């Protein structure tokens, strides 16, 4: 007699396997802990960069900046992504996870690794920021912690692949894997490359910190390190785009406009996204322009094309679904009548718009070798990536959490009004932070700089008054974003502890990674996931008129912004 | 994403197109996704760096 290991969520119809579900919960909860730590330090960083407040001392500033970047960019996001991988393989394919015991081993390594890194930070001798460029030394446990964390994550990726194999063998689904699972596969593949590159550079650096190797070439370090640093951001892109498709399906019953087109776009990610790592090396001597231009232009534009495809098909499929429901007036009734008070939708849609319009456009512009010179290493760069990773990825993960708390954790959300406003507060604050960091950076304000007034420096330099004002406004936006972020953490943890139980088998422990009462798991083998109905072809593009208009606005903004920057470049660096 | 449970699989007999075969093969995709950046970014980049003449 085989044990009954699955339960079906009565609200969503999704099947959860006992071990996979516990792994999802444990990873997601740990992720939120790091979001809280990292977000709080982000606030301190932002308030220090506000010239009127200048909160922290220089030493504390670099400590806070190091923890902010590492805890939030690496630990929060990757813990959460592991949960996404278990969800996309086990739940969506209705399949038992491969080797759950190894899943816990991976989790344990990630916990130990991230704890070691935190310990190294708080001991005070490892404020090397998340890039840890050599020859700046951190303590050996810092590198060791990163390596253990990466091994743990690698185990998670292989379990994901293993689960795909089992699902295929045990025929838990017909045809191809669902698009969301395919997107998660894209993320897992990029993650494997990312972690391999990390190993190539971090293991020698660890040995160097222990004194076994006496020299690591800084350019070599930067080049290989960015294969990790950049690609890890592309894991995020693949993961959050998959979640956009998932949310469109969950909330609107929307089907991808074309499976073929969306999957091909993910394939472009697999092939080309990681090559764009070279945009971090654009200002470095020692590698040729051919290498830079090949990797950042030809290759990167193919990946950008893929993002634009997703940016068109996600709202497009929502529009088609909404129009079918009768919201057919004018160009935008489908959007006006969308569930803006539901944080699952508002979070996802705000994330998508800010990711595309701000993160996407600034990213492509600064990935251009010549224009990059205007803003390289300025605070424009954090302006760009808070739009991509803090709004695009983080807000998407927040949005799906509002769905997962009832479905996966079987708890009702507390504070419905706060839930409704949270995505707007976080998204709005981040929008202000991002825009004004972009502005200040365009005026030359450097990133990672404690005191741009150079109060005790021998050589004085005065930034434009506008730049100082912009940093002040950015600080205000950062404060607002921190309020939104804190609210999210309170709602999430509060719901896990105090939220009404939607299932009598849910306990306090089951909110934090333990299984629910065994009586909840009463399905031995879920029914096979059938084929989706055959796509209706042809009219999708015509039906999504509103999305098409949005795409034209996007294109126009892009062209104008590119032109402005090229013009600006010609004026600060006159030729001929 | 969600698929229809009661739908009969009708397409089993048709030949699967090459592109779909690629997209359905996670390990081929993994191979490509590691090969491309390793060759064009890492190996090419490292070759350029080690061919910089050393100053003594
Ligand atoms: C609570 C809201 C947040 C605030 C107020 C904030 C503020 C800031 C500021 C002002 C900087 C620039 C510091 C400098 O270069 O001098 C920064 C850097 C950074 N932020 Fe945030 N941030 C927040 C949330 C996030 C989130 C959610 C992420 C990613 C998921 C993130 C990732 C980063 C990274 C990777 C850096 C670069 C660190 C470095 O240069 O080493 N931040 N943050
Ligand atoms: Cu990058």
């Amino acid at each position: 007699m085989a044990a009954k290991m699955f339960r079906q969520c009565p609200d969503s119809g999704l099947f959860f396997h006992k071990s996979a579900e516990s792994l999802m919960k444990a990873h997601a909860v740990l992720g939120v802990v790091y979001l809280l730590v990292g977000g709080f330090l982000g606030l301190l960083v932002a308030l220090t960069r506000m010239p009127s407040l200048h909160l922290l001392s220089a030493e504390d500033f670099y400590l806070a900046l190091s923890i902010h970047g590492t805890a939030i960019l690496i630990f929060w996001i990757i813990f959460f992504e592991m949960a996404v991988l278990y969800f996309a393989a086990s739940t969506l394919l209705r399949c038992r996870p491969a080797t759950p015991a190894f899943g816990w081993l991976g989790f344990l390594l990630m916990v130990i690794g991230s704890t070691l890194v935190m310990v190294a930070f708080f001991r005070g001798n490892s404020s090397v920021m998340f890039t840890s460029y050599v020859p700046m030394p951190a303590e050996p446990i810092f590198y060791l912690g990163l390596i253990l964390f990466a091994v743990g994550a690698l185990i998670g990726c292989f379990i994901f692949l293993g689960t795909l194999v089992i699902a295929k063998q045990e025929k838990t689904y017909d045809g191809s894997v669902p698009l969301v699972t395919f997107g998660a596969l894209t993320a897992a593949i990029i993650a494997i490359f990312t972690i391999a590159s990390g190993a190539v550079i971090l293991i020698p650096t660890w040995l160097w910190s222990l004194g076994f190797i006496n020299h690591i070439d800084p350019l070599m370090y930067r080049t290989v390190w960015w294969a990790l640093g950049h690609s890890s951001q592309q894991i995020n892109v693949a993961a959050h785009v998959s979640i956009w498709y998932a949310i469109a399906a969950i909330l609107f019953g929307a089907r991808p406009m074309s499976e073929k087109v969306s999957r091909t776009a993910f394939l472009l990610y697999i092939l080309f996204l990681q090559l764009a790592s070279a945009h971090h090396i654009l200002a470095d001597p020692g590698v040729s322009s051919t290498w830079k231009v090949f990797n950042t232009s030809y290759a990167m534009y193919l990946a950008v094309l893929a993002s634009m495809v997703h940016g068109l098909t996600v709202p497009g499929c929502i529009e088609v679904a909404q129009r079918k429901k009768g919201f057919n007036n004018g160009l935008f009734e489908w959007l006006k009548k969308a569930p803006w008070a539901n944080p699952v939708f508002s979070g996802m849609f705000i994330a998508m718009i800010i990711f595309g319009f701000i993160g996407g456009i600034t990213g492509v512009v600064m990935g251009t070798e010549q224009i990059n010179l205007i803003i390289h290493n300025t605070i424009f760069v954090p302006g760009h990536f808070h739009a991509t990773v803090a709004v695009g990825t983080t807000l998407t993960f927040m949005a799906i959490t509002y769905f997962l708390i009832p479905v996966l954790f079987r708890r009702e959300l507390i504070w419905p009004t706060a839930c409704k406003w949270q995505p707007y507060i976080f998204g709005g604050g981040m929008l202000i932070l991002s825009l004004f960091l972009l502005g200040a950076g365009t005026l030359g304000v450097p990133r990672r700089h404690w005191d741009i007034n150079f109060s005790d420096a021998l050589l004085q330099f005065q930034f434009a008054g506008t730049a100082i004002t912009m940093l002040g406004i950015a600080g205000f936006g950062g404060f607002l974003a921190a309020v939104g972020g804190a609210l999210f953490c309170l709602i999430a943890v509060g719901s896990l502890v105090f939220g009404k139980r939607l299932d009598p088998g849910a306990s306090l422990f089951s909110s934090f990674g333990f299984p629910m009462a065994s009586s909840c798991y009463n399905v031995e083998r879920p029914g096979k996931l059938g084929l989706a109905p055959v796509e209706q072809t042809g009219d999708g593009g015509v039906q999504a008129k509103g999305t098409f208009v949005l795409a034209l606005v996007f294109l126009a903004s892009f062209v104008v912004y590119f032109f402005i920057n090229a013009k600006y470049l010609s004026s600060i660096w006159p030729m001929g | 994403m969600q698929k229809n449970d009661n739908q009969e699989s009708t397409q089993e007999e048709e030949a699967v197109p090459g592109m779909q075969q690629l997209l359905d093969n996670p390990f081929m995709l993994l191979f490509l996704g590691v090969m491309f950046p390793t060759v064009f970014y890492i190996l090419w980049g490292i070759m350029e760096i080690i061919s910089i003449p050393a100053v003594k």
Side-chain angles (χ1 to χ4, degrees):
Chain A
M1 191 193 97
K4 294 185 169 159
M5 293 290 274
F6 284 93
R7 70 176 174 87
Q8 185 171 27
C9 163
D11 301 327
S12 61
L14 293 170
F15 287 94
F16 289 94
H17 184 276
K18 194 170 174 180
S19 336
E21 154 174 290
S22 299
L23 283 161
M24 282 175 222
K25 289 173 180 171
H27 284 91
V29 169
L30 243 290
V32 172
V33 171
Y34 279 113
L35 176 65
L36 187 66
V37 175
F40 175 68
L41 288 154
L43 175 64
L44 301 186
V45 167
L47 297 182
T48 308
R49 299 274 347 220
M50 227 172 152
S52 52
L53 269 175
H54 210 223
L55 188 68
L56 301 176
S57 68
E59 211 168 305
D60 289 346
F61 171 75
Y62 286 105
L63 174 63
L65 188 58
S66 301
I67 302 179
H68 172 57
T70 313
I72 213 161
L73 185 75
I74 302 183
F75 300 155
W76 142 245
I77 289 190
I78 295 187
F79 268 116
F80 200 91
E81 271 159 1
M82 289 298 131
V84 172
L85 289 187
Y86 285 109
F87 179 83
S90 170
T91 299
L92 294 183
L93 292 179
R94 305 181 175 183
C95 178
R96 68 188 168 88
T99 60
F102 277 94
W104 289 111
L105 175 67
F107 176 74
L108 198 68
L109 286 173
M110 289 171 74
V111 172
I112 296 174
S114 56
T115 310
L116 285 182
V117 173
M118 284 301 172
V119 169
F121 279 144
F122 282 110
R123 283 156 58 105
N125 288 323
S126 299
S127 300
V128 291
M129 293 166 278
F130 74 101
T131 41
S132 54
Y133 290 144
V134 298
M136 216 168 23
E139 288 192 67
I141 55 165
F142 170 85
Y143 306 105
L144 178 65
L146 285 180
I147 293 166
L148 294 180
F149 181 84
V151 173
L154 191 62
I155 293 177
C157 294
F158 282 118
I159 292 178
F160 173 84
L161 290 172
T163 310
L164 293 190
V165 172
I166 294 182
K168 184 148 201 144
Q169 272 169 2
E170 298 185 354
K171 299 201 167 59
T172 66
Y173 63 96
D174 270 330
S176 308
V177 298
L179 181 59
V180 177
T181 308
F182 190 76
L185 169 64
T186 306
I189 290 174
I190 301 178
I192 291 171
F193 171 74
T194 301
I195 295 169
S197 315
V200 170
I201 199 64
L202 286 175
I203 293 175
T205 310
W206 177 48
L207 296 176
W208 166 77
S209 76
L210 287 168
F212 295 126
I213 292 181
N214 55 23
H215 176 73
I216 292 196
D217 177 66
L219 178 58
M220 190 73 94
Y221 178 94
R222 285 168 57 79
T223 306
V224 182
W225 192 89
W226 276 111
L228 156 105
H230 174 78
S231 307
S232 63
Q233 302 321 299
Q234 314 314 325
I235 312 173
N236 307 343
V237 174
H240 73 225
V241 169
S242 310
I243 296 178
W244 294 348
Y245 281 110
I247 291 179
I250 291 164
L251 292 182
F252 300 95
R255 306 252 329 278
M257 295 170 84
S258 159
E259 289 273 353
K260 203 191 294 173
V261 169
S262 295
R263 279 171 209 250
T264 309
F266 276 122
L267 177 64
L268 289 176
Y269 277 176
I270 293 175
L271 299 179
F272 299 113
L273 255 186
Q274 307 155 73
L275 305 191
S277 305
H279 65 203
H280 297 273
I281 314 291
L282 282 177
D284 285 49
V287 272
S288 68
S289 274
T290 324
W291 179 84
K292 291 176 184 173
V293 172
F294 174 82
N295 282 295
T296 60
S297 297
Y298 302 111
M300 191 179 85
Y301 295 151
L302 288 168
V304 170
L305 174 72
S307 283
M308 296 205 287
V309 167
H310 295 305
L312 193 68
T313 57
V314 175
C317 74
I318 294 178
E319 177 171 357
V320 171
Q322 286 280 78
R323 283 185 188 275
K324 275 204 189 114
K325 286 185 196 134
F327 300 122
N328 223 341
N329 290 325
L331 281 175
F332 291 116
E333 194 196 16
W334 62 277
L335 193 54
K336 273 188 226 129
K337 294 280 165 66
W340 289 101
N342 179 350
V344 182
F345 173 76
S346 61
M348 168 263 193
F349 209 84
I350 295 170
M352 190 165 64
I353 296 293
I354 295 183
F355 177 80
F357 275 82
I358 301 187
I361 292 179
T362 56
V364 173
V365 170
M366 73 175 173
T368 309
E369 192 185 5
Q370 296 79 0
I371 294 180
N372 184 272
L373 290 176
I374 311 178
I375 52 81
H376 198 88
N377 265 344
T378 69
I379 208 160
F380 182 98
V381 180
H384 153 77
F385 65 64
H386 282 79
T388 56
V389 84
V391 185
T393 307
T394 300
L395 188 51
T396 300
F397 288 179
M398 289 173 170
I400 194 77
T401 303
Y402 288 112
F403 167 76
L404 289 177
I405 286 176
V407 167
L408 169 63
F409 293 91
R410 299 307 285 147
R411 295 279 186 156
E412 202 171 274
L413 288 163
I414 57 167
W415 303 346
T417 317
C419 291
K420 195 157 91 185
W421 288 105
Q422 188 274 334
Y424 296 93
I425 302 172
F426 182 77
M430 273 296 166
L431 178 63
I432 298 172
L433 177 77
S434 234
L435 284 177
F436 286 91
L437 292 185
L438 290 168
T442 308
L443 296 175
V445 174
R447 72 183 284 201
R448 294 178 164 181
H449 201 297
W450 173 65
D451 177 25
I452 61 159
N453 289 319
F454 300 94
S455 16
D456 55 358
L458 286 176
L459 289 172
Q460 291 292 318
F461 183 81
Q462 192 72 49
F463 279 99
T466 344
I468 307 289
T469 315
M470 289 209 211
L471 285 175
I473 304 177
F476 167 73
F479 176 73
L480 207 61
V483 171
L487 200 56
F488 170 79
C489 296
L490 282 176
I491 293 171
V493 177
S495 303
L496 294 192
V497 178
F498 303 111
K500 195 179 133 209
R501 293 171 194 197
L502 295 172
D503 197 312
S507 65
L508 182 62
F509 288 125
S510 75
S511 285
F512 294 93
F514 288 86
M516 306 212 292
S518 23
S519 57
C520 301
Y521 304 95
N522 52 15
V523 180
E524 190 185 314
R525 200 185 155 151
K528 195 175 189 182
L529 183 66
L531 281 180
V534 177
E535 282 173 39
Q536 303 160 317
T537 42
D539 55 355
V542 191
Q543 273 184 27
K545 294 187 214 79
T547 303
F548 189 66
V549 172
L550 283 179
L552 290 180
V553 174
F554 176 86
L555 209 60
S557 327
F558 176 68
V559 170
V560 169
Y561 187 70
F562 198 97
F563 180 75
I564 292 174
N565 275 277
K567 185 91 183 76
Y568 185 44
L569 177 65
S570 74
S571 72
I572 56 174
W573 189 17
M575 298 262 192
Chain B
M1 170 196 77
Q2 237 140 20
K3 298 202 168 183
N4 194 334
D5 287 10
N6 1 348
Q7 187 82 14
E8 280 299 310
S9 50
T10 49
Q11 302 168 337
E12 225 138 44
E13 314 297 293
E14 290 170 31
V16 179
M19 184 66 172
Q20 190 177 339
Q21 278 182 20
L22 169 65
L23 294 177
D24 281 346
N25 185 343
F27 294 97
M28 190 63 196
L29 293 174
L30 174 63
F31 173 75
L32 292 175
V34 174
M35 271 312 276
F36 262 67
T38 304
V39 170
F40 290 113
Y41 178 83
I42 295 198
L43 292 181
W44 182 2
I46 289 181
M47 284 195 4
E48 292 203 345
I49 296 170
I50 54 182
S51 61
I52 301 172
V55 175
K56 278 281 145 67

